[in-house]
Amino acid sequence: MGPFRILYLDMNSFFASVEQQLNPGLRGRPVAITAVDSESGACVAASYEAKAFGVKTGTSVRDARRLCPGITFLPSRHRLYVRFNLAVADVLDRHAELTHIRSVDEFQLALSGEARSLAGATGLVAGLKAAVAAEVGICLRFSAGIGPNHLLAKIAGKLEKPDGCRWLGPENMPEAIAHLSLDDLPGISEAMKARLYRARIFDIPSLHALDPRHARLIWRSVEGERFVRMLQGMEIPLIATERGGFGNSKVLAPEYRDPVRAYHVGRWLVEKASARLRRDGRVAARFSLQVSFLSGGTWARNVSCFPTQDTAIFLRLHRALWVRLWRSVRPGAVISLGVHLGDVDLLTARQGDLLLPLAPTELTRGEQVSKALDQINARFGDGAIRFGLNAPHPGFFERG
């Protein structure tokens, strides 16, 4: 049996578990984490005690209170959860070979030596569970998946929750996951599921038996062939991808939903995204804005520009798109908004411009100012100096 190469760890009800770890009074009780402190908000995480009553991610606060009258609601503290993520990662890296932090609550490790056998891998999992409990907290538990590649290990990690450990490999595939639906597999969206149905692939055994070359045609990409070969147990390395862009999006709390207030949140998102663009040594040649309304509907536009990392330029483009939005639809209450810096490239690859004048890879004056502000904020704290008025909106519903 084996050899196994990948161990995938999925933290159990991570956000709620962190809160229960910090507050012993919450242990054993149903807890839900909310994005906004409002009855109209939704749960972004729930403890297993709450899940037993049917509360899950996406359940509205109103419905969660109805399903579980004794539930405790807590506002999301994303920075706190990131600190616990790093604490768990530190433990894993000291006891094993941590290769990827997949998300705030998922980790991927490489198996070697004795750990490539089933007995060795399960022994390692037991040791890691004990180490995390002792060094981070007894409430921090995870489910583990063992496999010959990252896809099967990730699927295995979802099979037994909480605190489980399962393995997948050619020896027990596809029978071990034949009960799952196609879209239970990571990477199979509703659109891909429909495409598979049109190809008369209705279940996982049929997908597992598919000729990988046929999968390439269904996916219209080599990713289909890679997916099926991994499902069949082949070791396929992860491919490093080029960064497609830098963005942030935000579901707004009620007090931020007025369009003027939402506009200032957007300015804050622009500053955050452009700062990350500079940290990565890149420039962007396209700015996009997306605004969704409480009454329904979404407005989205984008505009091109000279490749830049100047926050002031992106803020001007942000304002121009809001003006266009205001003139076209007269926005009502805003439920969410997002900004995105696209068409990115390395600063070192930027060509010069004789009209500015600007030499290749040279920073413009505005980019120099932006870089100076980054240095000030790094020393004195995020937001110590800003590009004019904005409205910081901390919270979980933030991506990018």
Side-chain angles (χ1 to χ4, degrees), residues 248 263-278 287-289 310-319 322 337-341:
N248 288 94
Y263 165 74
H264 286 103
V265 173
R267 287 180 57 88
W268 176 65
L269 296 178
V270 171
E271 289 197 34
K272 288 164 59 68
S274 56
R276 290 191 294 110
L277 179 77
R278 287 189 293 276
F287 177 82
S288 303
L289 172 69
D310 184 351
T311 296
I313 289 178
F314 295 128
L315 286 172
R316 286 198 292 271
L317 297 175
H318 173 257
R319 177 179 175 81
W322 269 95
L337 60 90
V339 302
H340 186 263
L341 311 181

PDB file of all heavy atoms in Angstrom, residues 248 263-278 287-289 310-319 322 337-341:
ATOM      1  N   ASN A 248      -9.250  43.335  -3.605  1.00  0.00           N
ATOM      2  CA  ASN A 248      -9.918  43.175  -2.322  1.00  0.00           C
ATOM      3  C   ASN A 248     -11.410  43.362  -2.546  1.00  0.00           C
ATOM      4  O   ASN A 248     -11.815  44.212  -3.341  1.00  0.00           O
ATOM      5  CB  ASN A 248      -9.453  44.219  -1.305  1.00  0.00           C
ATOM      6  CG  ASN A 248      -8.049  43.968  -0.806  1.00  0.00           C
ATOM      7  OD1 ASN A 248      -7.096  44.512  -1.350  1.00  0.00           O
ATOM      8  ND2 ASN A 248      -7.906  43.145   0.210  1.00  0.00           N
ATOM      9  N   TYR A 263     -18.175  54.346  -0.947  1.00  0.00           N
ATOM     10  CA  TYR A 263     -17.112  54.901  -1.789  1.00  0.00           C
ATOM     11  C   TYR A 263     -15.818  55.049  -0.988  1.00  0.00           C
ATOM     12  O   TYR A 263     -14.723  54.719  -1.484  1.00  0.00           O
ATOM     13  CB  TYR A 263     -17.555  56.252  -2.340  1.00  0.00           C
ATOM     14  CG  TYR A 263     -16.433  57.087  -2.930  1.00  0.00           C
ATOM     15  CD1 TYR A 263     -15.878  56.754  -4.165  1.00  0.00           C
ATOM     16  CD2 TYR A 263     -15.932  58.191  -2.250  1.00  0.00           C
ATOM     17  CE1 TYR A 263     -14.841  57.515  -4.702  1.00  0.00           C
ATOM     18  CE2 TYR A 263     -14.906  58.956  -2.773  1.00  0.00           C
ATOM     19  CZ  TYR A 263     -14.368  58.610  -3.999  1.00  0.00           C
ATOM     20  OH  TYR A 263     -13.343  59.358  -4.533  1.00  0.00           O
ATOM     21  N   HIS A 264     -15.909  55.487   0.253  1.00  0.00           N
ATOM     22  CA  HIS A 264     -14.712  55.646   1.077  1.00  0.00           C
ATOM     23  C   HIS A 264     -14.125  54.294   1.486  1.00  0.00           C
ATOM     24  O   HIS A 264     -12.904  54.167   1.627  1.00  0.00           O
ATOM     25  CB  HIS A 264     -15.018  56.512   2.297  1.00  0.00           C
ATOM     26  CG  HIS A 264     -15.162  57.965   1.977  1.00  0.00           C
ATOM     27  ND1 HIS A 264     -16.376  58.595   1.903  1.00  0.00           N
ATOM     28  CD2 HIS A 264     -14.237  58.914   1.666  1.00  0.00           C
ATOM     29  CE1 HIS A 264     -16.201  59.869   1.585  1.00  0.00           C
ATOM     30  NE2 HIS A 264     -14.916  60.084   1.425  1.00  0.00           N
ATOM     31  N   VAL A 265     -14.968  53.285   1.669  1.00  0.00           N
ATOM     32  CA  VAL A 265     -14.443  51.933   1.887  1.00  0.00           C
ATOM     33  C   VAL A 265     -13.676  51.487   0.644  1.00  0.00           C
ATOM     34  O   VAL A 265     -12.598  50.871   0.742  1.00  0.00           O
ATOM     35  CB  VAL A 265     -15.583  50.940   2.211  1.00  0.00           C
ATOM     36  CG1 VAL A 265     -15.040  49.505   2.257  1.00  0.00           C
ATOM     37  CG2 VAL A 265     -16.244  51.294   3.533  1.00  0.00           C
ATOM     38  N   GLY A 266     -14.207  51.808  -0.534  1.00  0.00           N
ATOM     39  CA  GLY A 266     -13.520  51.462  -1.772  1.00  0.00           C
ATOM     40  C   GLY A 266     -12.144  52.091  -1.858  1.00  0.00           C
ATOM     41  O   GLY A 266     -11.179  51.462  -2.318  1.00  0.00           O
ATOM     42  N   ARG A 267     -12.009  53.337  -1.419  1.00  0.00           N
ATOM     43  CA  ARG A 267     -10.696  53.986  -1.409  1.00  0.00           C
ATOM     44  C   ARG A 267      -9.720  53.231  -0.503  1.00  0.00           C
ATOM     45  O   ARG A 267      -8.541  53.055  -0.835  1.00  0.00           O
ATOM     46  CB  ARG A 267     -10.828  55.436  -0.929  1.00  0.00           C
ATOM     47  CG  ARG A 267     -11.475  56.373  -1.933  1.00  0.00           C
ATOM     48  CD  ARG A 267     -11.572  57.793  -1.378  1.00  0.00           C
ATOM     49  NE  ARG A 267     -10.269  58.325  -0.995  1.00  0.00           N
ATOM     50  CZ  ARG A 267      -9.447  58.970  -1.818  1.00  0.00           C
ATOM     51  NH1 ARG A 267      -9.786  59.163  -3.087  1.00  0.00           N
ATOM     52  NH2 ARG A 267      -8.286  59.429  -1.376  1.00  0.00           N
ATOM     53  N   TRP A 268     -10.214  52.756   0.623  1.00  0.00           N
ATOM     54  CA  TRP A 268      -9.385  51.967   1.534  1.00  0.00           C
ATOM     55  C   TRP A 268      -8.937  50.659   0.869  1.00  0.00           C
ATOM     56  O   TRP A 268      -7.769  50.268   0.970  1.00  0.00           O
ATOM     57  CB  TRP A 268     -10.186  51.694   2.804  1.00  0.00           C
ATOM     58  CG  TRP A 268      -9.519  50.820   3.820  1.00  0.00           C
ATOM     59  CD1 TRP A 268      -8.391  51.088   4.534  1.00  0.00           C
ATOM     60  CD2 TRP A 268      -9.973  49.526   4.241  1.00  0.00           C
ATOM     61  NE1 TRP A 268      -8.107  50.037   5.386  1.00  0.00           N
ATOM     62  CE2 TRP A 268      -9.065  49.080   5.223  1.00  0.00           C
ATOM     63  CE3 TRP A 268     -11.048  48.715   3.898  1.00  0.00           C
ATOM     64  CZ2 TRP A 268      -9.199  47.847   5.861  1.00  0.00           C
ATOM     65  CZ3 TRP A 268     -11.205  47.496   4.529  1.00  0.00           C
ATOM     66  CH2 TRP A 268     -10.283  47.072   5.498  1.00  0.00           C
ATOM     67  N   LEU A 269      -9.854  50.009   0.145  1.00  0.00           N
ATOM     68  CA  LEU A 269      -9.503  48.778  -0.555  1.00  0.00           C
ATOM     69  C   LEU A 269      -8.456  49.033  -1.631  1.00  0.00           C
ATOM     70  O   LEU A 269      -7.561  48.208  -1.845  1.00  0.00           O
ATOM     71  CB  LEU A 269     -10.760  48.147  -1.170  1.00  0.00           C
ATOM     72  CG  LEU A 269     -11.834  47.667  -0.191  1.00  0.00           C
ATOM     73  CD1 LEU A 269     -13.032  47.116  -0.963  1.00  0.00           C
ATOM     74  CD2 LEU A 269     -11.289  46.614   0.760  1.00  0.00           C
ATOM     75  N   VAL A 270      -8.572  50.163  -2.332  1.00  0.00           N
ATOM     76  CA  VAL A 270      -7.585  50.506  -3.356  1.00  0.00           C
ATOM     77  C   VAL A 270      -6.201  50.656  -2.726  1.00  0.00           C
ATOM     78  O   VAL A 270      -5.196  50.157  -3.261  1.00  0.00           O
ATOM     79  CB  VAL A 270      -7.989  51.806  -4.096  1.00  0.00           C
ATOM     80  CG1 VAL A 270      -6.851  52.278  -5.002  1.00  0.00           C
ATOM     81  CG2 VAL A 270      -9.250  51.587  -4.912  1.00  0.00           C
ATOM     82  N   GLU A 271      -6.121  51.340  -1.592  1.00  0.00           N
ATOM     83  CA  GLU A 271      -4.830  51.511  -0.932  1.00  0.00           C
ATOM     84  C   GLU A 271      -4.235  50.168  -0.525  1.00  0.00           C
ATOM     85  O   GLU A 271      -3.031  49.935  -0.686  1.00  0.00           O
ATOM     86  CB  GLU A 271      -4.986  52.414   0.296  1.00  0.00           C
ATOM     87  CG  GLU A 271      -5.245  53.879  -0.036  1.00  0.00           C
ATOM     88  CD  GLU A 271      -4.996  54.801   1.146  1.00  0.00           C
ATOM     89  OE1 GLU A 271      -4.081  54.509   1.940  1.00  0.00           O
ATOM     90  OE2 GLU A 271      -5.719  55.807   1.281  1.00  0.00           O
ATOM     91  N   LYS A 272      -5.062  49.267  -0.005  1.00  0.00           N
ATOM     92  CA  LYS A 272      -4.574  47.951   0.405  1.00  0.00           C
ATOM     93  C   LYS A 272      -4.073  47.150  -0.795  1.00  0.00           C
ATOM     94  O   LYS A 272      -3.004  46.531  -0.752  1.00  0.00           O
ATOM     95  CB  LYS A 272      -5.689  47.166   1.123  1.00  0.00           C
ATOM     96  CG  LYS A 272      -6.009  47.674   2.515  1.00  0.00           C
ATOM     97  CD  LYS A 272      -7.325  47.149   3.031  1.00  0.00           C
ATOM     98  CE  LYS A 272      -7.380  45.629   3.098  1.00  0.00           C
ATOM     99  NZ  LYS A 272      -6.468  45.090   4.128  1.00  0.00           N
ATOM    100  N   ALA A 273      -4.846  47.132  -1.885  1.00  0.00           N
ATOM    101  CA  ALA A 273      -4.468  46.353  -3.057  1.00  0.00           C
ATOM    102  C   ALA A 273      -3.200  46.895  -3.708  1.00  0.00           C
ATOM    103  O   ALA A 273      -2.315  46.127  -4.111  1.00  0.00           O
ATOM    104  CB  ALA A 273      -5.624  46.338  -4.066  1.00  0.00           C
ATOM    105  N   SER A 274      -3.088  48.215  -3.826  1.00  0.00           N
ATOM    106  CA  SER A 274      -1.909  48.786  -4.479  1.00  0.00           C
ATOM    107  C   SER A 274      -0.656  48.604  -3.622  1.00  0.00           C
ATOM    108  O   SER A 274       0.443  48.435  -4.157  1.00  0.00           O
ATOM    109  CB  SER A 274      -2.137  50.259  -4.813  1.00  0.00           C
ATOM    110  OG  SER A 274      -2.495  51.002  -3.667  1.00  0.00           O
ATOM    111  N   ALA A 275      -0.799  48.605  -2.299  1.00  0.00           N
ATOM    112  CA  ALA A 275       0.354  48.344  -1.431  1.00  0.00           C
ATOM    113  C   ALA A 275       0.863  46.923  -1.631  1.00  0.00           C
ATOM    114  O   ALA A 275       2.074  46.680  -1.673  1.00  0.00           O
ATOM    115  CB  ALA A 275      -0.027  48.583   0.030  1.00  0.00           C
ATOM    116  N   ARG A 276      -0.044  45.963  -1.772  1.00  0.00           N
ATOM    117  CA  ARG A 276       0.382  44.583  -2.031  1.00  0.00           C
ATOM    118  C   ARG A 276       1.005  44.451  -3.418  1.00  0.00           C
ATOM    119  O   ARG A 276       1.931  43.668  -3.623  1.00  0.00           O
ATOM    120  CB  ARG A 276      -0.814  43.630  -1.884  1.00  0.00           C
ATOM    121  CG  ARG A 276      -1.260  43.497  -0.437  1.00  0.00           C
ATOM    122  CD  ARG A 276      -2.256  42.380  -0.224  1.00  0.00           C
ATOM    123  NE  ARG A 276      -3.513  42.643  -0.895  1.00  0.00           N
ATOM    124  CZ  ARG A 276      -3.966  41.994  -1.955  1.00  0.00           C
ATOM    125  NH1 ARG A 276      -3.242  41.037  -2.493  1.00  0.00           N
ATOM    126  NH2 ARG A 276      -5.128  42.296  -2.479  1.00  0.00           N
ATOM    127  N   LEU A 277       0.489  45.202  -4.379  1.00  0.00           N
ATOM    128  CA  LEU A 277       1.070  45.212  -5.718  1.00  0.00           C
ATOM    129  C   LEU A 277       2.541  45.637  -5.655  1.00  0.00           C
ATOM    130  O   LEU A 277       3.419  45.013  -6.262  1.00  0.00           O
ATOM    131  CB  LEU A 277       0.273  46.167  -6.606  1.00  0.00           C
ATOM    132  CG  LEU A 277       0.720  46.348  -8.054  1.00  0.00           C
ATOM    133  CD1 LEU A 277       0.291  45.162  -8.900  1.00  0.00           C
ATOM    134  CD2 LEU A 277       0.135  47.637  -8.639  1.00  0.00           C
ATOM    135  N   ARG A 278       2.826  46.690  -4.888  1.00  0.00           N
ATOM    136  CA  ARG A 278       4.206  47.165  -4.769  1.00  0.00           C
ATOM    137  C   ARG A 278       5.074  46.165  -4.023  1.00  0.00           C
ATOM    138  O   ARG A 278       6.238  45.949  -4.386  1.00  0.00           O
ATOM    139  CB  ARG A 278       4.225  48.530  -4.065  1.00  0.00           C
ATOM    140  CG  ARG A 278       3.718  49.664  -4.925  1.00  0.00           C
ATOM    141  CD  ARG A 278       3.955  51.012  -4.255  1.00  0.00           C
ATOM    142  NE  ARG A 278       3.160  51.184  -3.039  1.00  0.00           N
ATOM    143  CZ  ARG A 278       1.912  51.601  -3.016  1.00  0.00           C
ATOM    144  NH1 ARG A 278       1.272  51.862  -4.148  1.00  0.00           N
ATOM    145  NH2 ARG A 278       1.267  51.751  -1.872  1.00  0.00           N
ATOM    146  N   PHE A 287      -7.744  48.712 -14.066  1.00  0.00           N
ATOM    147  CA  PHE A 287      -8.420  48.868 -12.777  1.00  0.00           C
ATOM    148  C   PHE A 287      -9.893  48.510 -12.957  1.00  0.00           C
ATOM    149  O   PHE A 287     -10.544  48.980 -13.888  1.00  0.00           O
ATOM    150  CB  PHE A 287      -8.295  50.301 -12.262  1.00  0.00           C
ATOM    151  CG  PHE A 287      -9.044  50.525 -10.981  1.00  0.00           C
ATOM    152  CD1 PHE A 287      -8.476  50.164  -9.772  1.00  0.00           C
ATOM    153  CD2 PHE A 287     -10.326  51.060 -10.981  1.00  0.00           C
ATOM    154  CE1 PHE A 287      -9.179  50.348  -8.581  1.00  0.00           C
ATOM    155  CE2 PHE A 287     -11.027  51.247  -9.799  1.00  0.00           C
ATOM    156  CZ  PHE A 287     -10.450  50.885  -8.593  1.00  0.00           C
ATOM    157  N   SER A 288     -10.427  47.695 -12.044  1.00  0.00           N
ATOM    158  CA  SER A 288     -11.822  47.262 -12.119  1.00  0.00           C
ATOM    159  C   SER A 288     -12.540  47.583 -10.809  1.00  0.00           C
ATOM    160  O   SER A 288     -11.957  47.482  -9.725  1.00  0.00           O
ATOM    161  CB  SER A 288     -11.908  45.752 -12.386  1.00  0.00           C
ATOM    162  OG  SER A 288     -11.217  45.393 -13.560  1.00  0.00           O
ATOM    163  N   LEU A 289     -13.799  47.917 -10.939  1.00  0.00           N
ATOM    164  CA  LEU A 289     -14.665  48.192  -9.789  1.00  0.00           C
ATOM    165  C   LEU A 289     -15.950  47.395  -9.946  1.00  0.00           C
ATOM    166  O   LEU A 289     -16.542  47.366 -11.028  1.00  0.00           O
ATOM    167  CB  LEU A 289     -14.990  49.687  -9.698  1.00  0.00           C
ATOM    168  CG  LEU A 289     -16.040  50.104  -8.660  1.00  0.00           C
ATOM    169  CD1 LEU A 289     -15.502  49.905  -7.243  1.00  0.00           C
ATOM    170  CD2 LEU A 289     -16.471  51.555  -8.869  1.00  0.00           C
ATOM    171  N   ASP A 310       1.263  53.178  -8.758  1.00  0.00           N
ATOM    172  CA  ASP A 310       0.996  54.441  -8.069  1.00  0.00           C
ATOM    173  C   ASP A 310      -0.420  54.430  -7.496  1.00  0.00           C
ATOM    174  O   ASP A 310      -1.412  54.418  -8.229  1.00  0.00           O
ATOM    175  CB  ASP A 310       1.175  55.590  -9.062  1.00  0.00           C
ATOM    176  CG  ASP A 310       1.009  56.965  -8.418  1.00  0.00           C
ATOM    177  OD1 ASP A 310       0.593  57.037  -7.253  1.00  0.00           O
ATOM    178  OD2 ASP A 310       1.295  57.959  -9.115  1.00  0.00           O
ATOM    179  N   THR A 311      -0.540  54.459  -6.173  1.00  0.00           N
ATOM    180  CA  THR A 311      -1.844  54.438  -5.523  1.00  0.00           C
ATOM    181  C   THR A 311      -2.712  55.612  -5.974  1.00  0.00           C
ATOM    182  O   THR A 311      -3.925  55.457  -6.189  1.00  0.00           O
ATOM    183  CB  THR A 311      -1.685  54.479  -3.995  1.00  0.00           C
ATOM    184  OG1 THR A 311      -1.016  53.296  -3.559  1.00  0.00           O
ATOM    185  CG2 THR A 311      -3.040  54.560  -3.299  1.00  0.00           C
ATOM    186  N   ALA A 312      -2.123  56.795  -6.134  1.00  0.00           N
ATOM    187  CA  ALA A 312      -2.902  57.983  -6.503  1.00  0.00           C
ATOM    188  C   ALA A 312      -3.587  57.803  -7.850  1.00  0.00           C
ATOM    189  O   ALA A 312      -4.731  58.245  -8.045  1.00  0.00           O
ATOM    190  CB  ALA A 312      -1.997  59.218  -6.528  1.00  0.00           C
ATOM    191  N   ILE A 313      -2.922  57.138  -8.796  1.00  0.00           N
ATOM    192  CA  ILE A 313      -3.536  56.904 -10.101  1.00  0.00           C
ATOM    193  C   ILE A 313      -4.729  55.965  -9.967  1.00  0.00           C
ATOM    194  O   ILE A 313      -5.809  56.214 -10.528  1.00  0.00           O
ATOM    195  CB  ILE A 313      -2.503  56.332 -11.092  1.00  0.00           C
ATOM    196  CG1 ILE A 313      -1.502  57.431 -11.470  1.00  0.00           C
ATOM    197  CG2 ILE A 313      -3.182  55.764 -12.336  1.00  0.00           C
ATOM    198  CD1 ILE A 313      -0.404  56.977 -12.399  1.00  0.00           C
ATOM    199  N   PHE A 314      -4.577  54.905  -9.197  1.00  0.00           N
ATOM    200  CA  PHE A 314      -5.685  53.961  -9.020  1.00  0.00           C
ATOM    201  C   PHE A 314      -6.854  54.623  -8.282  1.00  0.00           C
ATOM    202  O   PHE A 314      -8.021  54.323  -8.568  1.00  0.00           O
ATOM    203  CB  PHE A 314      -5.208  52.706  -8.275  1.00  0.00           C
ATOM    204  CG  PHE A 314      -4.213  51.894  -9.042  1.00  0.00           C
ATOM    205  CD1 PHE A 314      -3.010  51.527  -8.468  1.00  0.00           C
ATOM    206  CD2 PHE A 314      -4.467  51.488 -10.345  1.00  0.00           C
ATOM    207  CE1 PHE A 314      -2.087  50.769  -9.164  1.00  0.00           C
ATOM    208  CE2 PHE A 314      -3.548  50.735 -11.054  1.00  0.00           C
ATOM    209  CZ  PHE A 314      -2.349  50.377 -10.458  1.00  0.00           C
ATOM    210  N   LEU A 315      -6.560  55.512  -7.349  1.00  0.00           N
ATOM    211  CA  LEU A 315      -7.633  56.234  -6.664  1.00  0.00           C
ATOM    212  C   LEU A 315      -8.388  57.155  -7.622  1.00  0.00           C
ATOM    213  O   LEU A 315      -9.613  57.296  -7.530  1.00  0.00           O
ATOM    214  CB  LEU A 315      -7.067  57.033  -5.493  1.00  0.00           C
ATOM    215  CG  LEU A 315      -6.652  56.213  -4.258  1.00  0.00           C
ATOM    216  CD1 LEU A 315      -5.921  57.097  -3.257  1.00  0.00           C
ATOM    217  CD2 LEU A 315      -7.858  55.551  -3.606  1.00  0.00           C
ATOM    218  N   ARG A 316      -7.679  57.777  -8.570  1.00  0.00           N
ATOM    219  CA  ARG A 316      -8.353  58.614  -9.563  1.00  0.00           C
ATOM    220  C   ARG A 316      -9.248  57.767 -10.468  1.00  0.00           C
ATOM    221  O   ARG A 316     -10.373  58.172 -10.809  1.00  0.00           O
ATOM    222  CB  ARG A 316      -7.320  59.383 -10.400  1.00  0.00           C
ATOM    223  CG  ARG A 316      -6.677  60.534  -9.635  1.00  0.00           C
ATOM    224  CD  ARG A 316      -6.016  61.531 -10.574  1.00  0.00           C
ATOM    225  NE  ARG A 316      -4.845  60.965 -11.234  1.00  0.00           N
ATOM    226  CZ  ARG A 316      -3.611  61.031 -10.728  1.00  0.00           C
ATOM    227  NH1 ARG A 316      -3.392  61.602  -9.555  1.00  0.00           N
ATOM    228  NH2 ARG A 316      -2.600  60.534 -11.403  1.00  0.00           N
ATOM    229  N   LEU A 317      -8.764  56.591 -10.852  1.00  0.00           N
ATOM    230  CA  LEU A 317      -9.583  55.696 -11.676  1.00  0.00           C
ATOM    231  C   LEU A 317     -10.796  55.203 -10.883  1.00  0.00           C
ATOM    232  O   LEU A 317     -11.906  55.070 -11.430  1.00  0.00           O
ATOM    233  CB  LEU A 317      -8.740  54.509 -12.153  1.00  0.00           C
ATOM    234  CG  LEU A 317      -7.561  54.865 -13.060  1.00  0.00           C
ATOM    235  CD1 LEU A 317      -6.741  53.606 -13.370  1.00  0.00           C
ATOM    236  CD2 LEU A 317      -8.037  55.501 -14.360  1.00  0.00           C
ATOM    237  N   HIS A 318     -10.594  54.921  -9.602  1.00  0.00           N
ATOM    238  CA  HIS A 318     -11.691  54.507  -8.730  1.00  0.00           C
ATOM    239  C   HIS A 318     -12.768  55.593  -8.677  1.00  0.00           C
ATOM    240  O   HIS A 318     -13.965  55.319  -8.824  1.00  0.00           O
ATOM    241  CB  HIS A 318     -11.120  54.223  -7.334  1.00  0.00           C
ATOM    242  CG  HIS A 318     -12.141  53.939  -6.281  1.00  0.00           C
ATOM    243  ND1 HIS A 318     -12.508  54.871  -5.331  1.00  0.00           N
ATOM    244  CD2 HIS A 318     -12.887  52.828  -6.021  1.00  0.00           C
ATOM    245  CE1 HIS A 318     -13.416  54.343  -4.534  1.00  0.00           C
ATOM    246  NE2 HIS A 318     -13.665  53.106  -4.924  1.00  0.00           N
ATOM    247  N   ARG A 319     -12.351  56.843  -8.509  1.00  0.00           N
ATOM    248  CA  ARG A 319     -13.304  57.945  -8.464  1.00  0.00           C
ATOM    249  C   ARG A 319     -14.034  58.097  -9.798  1.00  0.00           C
ATOM    250  O   ARG A 319     -15.264  58.310  -9.838  1.00  0.00           O
ATOM    251  CB  ARG A 319     -12.581  59.252  -8.125  1.00  0.00           C
ATOM    252  CG  ARG A 319     -13.505  60.467  -8.125  1.00  0.00           C
ATOM    253  CD  ARG A 319     -12.753  61.743  -7.766  1.00  0.00           C
ATOM    254  NE  ARG A 319     -13.630  62.898  -7.893  1.00  0.00           N
ATOM    255  CZ  ARG A 319     -14.515  63.288  -7.000  1.00  0.00           C
ATOM    256  NH1 ARG A 319     -14.660  62.607  -5.871  1.00  0.00           N
ATOM    257  NH2 ARG A 319     -15.275  64.349  -7.196  1.00  0.00           N
ATOM    258  N   TRP A 322     -16.756  55.518 -10.065  1.00  0.00           N
ATOM    259  CA  TRP A 322     -17.886  55.841  -9.198  1.00  0.00           C
ATOM    260  C   TRP A 322     -18.729  56.961  -9.809  1.00  0.00           C
ATOM    261  O   TRP A 322     -19.962  56.946  -9.723  1.00  0.00           O
ATOM    262  CB  TRP A 322     -17.404  56.239  -7.809  1.00  0.00           C
ATOM    263  CG  TRP A 322     -17.310  55.087  -6.861  1.00  0.00           C
ATOM    264  CD1 TRP A 322     -16.204  54.347  -6.580  1.00  0.00           C
ATOM    265  CD2 TRP A 322     -18.374  54.529  -6.079  1.00  0.00           C
ATOM    266  NE1 TRP A 322     -16.497  53.357  -5.667  1.00  0.00           N
ATOM    267  CE2 TRP A 322     -17.816  53.452  -5.336  1.00  0.00           C
ATOM    268  CE3 TRP A 322     -19.719  54.834  -5.928  1.00  0.00           C
ATOM    269  CZ2 TRP A 322     -18.590  52.688  -4.463  1.00  0.00           C
ATOM    270  CZ3 TRP A 322     -20.485  54.070  -5.055  1.00  0.00           C
ATOM    271  CH2 TRP A 322     -19.921  53.005  -4.335  1.00  0.00           C
ATOM    272  N   LEU A 337     -18.712  45.489  -2.301  1.00  0.00           N
ATOM    273  CA  LEU A 337     -17.965  46.108  -3.396  1.00  0.00           C
ATOM    274  C   LEU A 337     -16.587  45.474  -3.466  1.00  0.00           C
ATOM    275  O   LEU A 337     -16.097  44.877  -2.498  1.00  0.00           O
ATOM    276  CB  LEU A 337     -17.875  47.627  -3.220  1.00  0.00           C
ATOM    277  CG  LEU A 337     -17.204  48.184  -1.972  1.00  0.00           C
ATOM    278  CD1 LEU A 337     -15.709  48.385  -2.192  1.00  0.00           C
ATOM    279  CD2 LEU A 337     -17.818  49.509  -1.584  1.00  0.00           C
ATOM    280  N   GLY A 338     -15.971  45.599  -4.643  1.00  0.00           N
ATOM    281  CA  GLY A 338     -14.646  45.029  -4.829  1.00  0.00           C
ATOM    282  C   GLY A 338     -13.848  45.852  -5.815  1.00  0.00           C
ATOM    283  O   GLY A 338     -14.405  46.474  -6.725  1.00  0.00           O
ATOM    284  N   VAL A 339     -12.536  45.887  -5.614  1.00  0.00           N
ATOM    285  CA  VAL A 339     -11.628  46.541  -6.552  1.00  0.00           C
ATOM    286  C   VAL A 339     -10.593  45.501  -6.985  1.00  0.00           C
ATOM    287  O   VAL A 339     -10.272  44.581  -6.237  1.00  0.00           O
ATOM    288  CB  VAL A 339     -10.935  47.763  -5.925  1.00  0.00           C
ATOM    289  CG1 VAL A 339     -11.966  48.774  -5.451  1.00  0.00           C
ATOM    290  CG2 VAL A 339     -10.023  47.359  -4.766  1.00  0.00           C
ATOM    291  N   HIS A 340     -10.096  45.666  -8.209  1.00  0.00           N
ATOM    292  CA  HIS A 340      -9.129  44.700  -8.732  1.00  0.00           C
ATOM    293  C   HIS A 340      -8.137  45.407  -9.637  1.00  0.00           C
ATOM    294  O   HIS A 340      -8.512  46.203 -10.502  1.00  0.00           O
ATOM    295  CB  HIS A 340      -9.860  43.602  -9.506  1.00  0.00           C
ATOM    296  CG  HIS A 340      -8.961  42.489  -9.951  1.00  0.00           C
ATOM    297  ND1 HIS A 340      -8.409  42.432 -11.220  1.00  0.00           N
ATOM    298  CD2 HIS A 340      -8.507  41.395  -9.296  1.00  0.00           C
ATOM    299  CE1 HIS A 340      -7.657  41.348 -11.322  1.00  0.00           C
ATOM    300  NE2 HIS A 340      -7.703  40.703 -10.167  1.00  0.00           N
ATOM    301  N   LEU A 341      -6.852  45.116  -9.422  1.00  0.00           N
ATOM    302  CA  LEU A 341      -5.776  45.630 -10.265  1.00  0.00           C
ATOM    303  C   LEU A 341      -5.331  44.482 -11.162  1.00  0.00           C
ATOM    304  O   LEU A 341      -4.781  43.487 -10.686  1.00  0.00           O
ATOM    305  CB  LEU A 341      -4.607  46.129  -9.413  1.00  0.00           C
ATOM    306  CG  LEU A 341      -4.964  47.062  -8.246  1.00  0.00           C
ATOM    307  CD1 LEU A 341      -3.708  47.487  -7.511  1.00  0.00           C
ATOM    308  CD2 LEU A 341      -5.740  48.275  -8.740  1.00  0.00           C
TER     309      LEU A 341
END
